[in-house]
Amino acid sequence: MKFSIITPTNNSGNTIIRNVQSVINQTYKEFEHIIIDNLSKDNTVQLLKNVYHKAGISSKLTVISERDFGISD
């Protein structure tokens, strides 16, 4: 069974790597990681893509970067 992990972000370049490493290091590998980004102005999106690329599992990452109205949106 595949499961989805959804992580909201906004200018999270300083902290997102810990989240991503935790997801990647899980022993159960049937997952997708969906990042909903509020048009970060820092390096959040590029960091995410780099970490997944280096781990060789870029296909497990989906990044949606669009304007939203807060975490509940």
Side-chain angles (χ1 to χ4, degrees), residues 18-29 31 57:
R18 286 184 301 183
N19 171 272
V20 170
Q21 288 297 337
S22 177
V23 171
I24 290 172
N25 291 333
Q26 298 301 308
T27 57
Y28 189 76
K29 299 298 182 186
F31 69 89
I57 55 173

Side-chain angles (χ1 to χ4, degrees), residues 19-70:
N19 171 272
V20 170
Q21 288 297 337
S22 177
V23 171
I24 290 172
N25 291 333
Q26 298 301 308
T27 57
Y28 189 76
K29 299 298 182 186
E30 293 300 316
F31 69 89
E32 65 177 343
H33 195 176
I34 302 169
I35 307 293
I36 310 295
D37 180 70
N38 185 18
L39 295 176
S40 291
K41 293 178 179 35
D42 66 357
N43 59 347
T44 299
V45 173
Q46 191 58 45
L47 283 171
L48 292 164
K49 291 178 180 179
N50 287 344
V51 170
Y52 271 89
H53 178 73
K54 286 179 184 177
I57 55 173
S58 296
S59 64
K60 294 186 179 283
L61 176 66
T62 300
V63 177
I64 300 168
S65 188
E66 61 189 17
R67 180 80 177 125
D68 64 43
F69 298 101

Side-chain angles (χ1 to χ4, degrees), residues 2 6 10 57 68:
K2 184 177 182 179
I6 301 171
N10 185 27
I57 55 173
D68 64 43

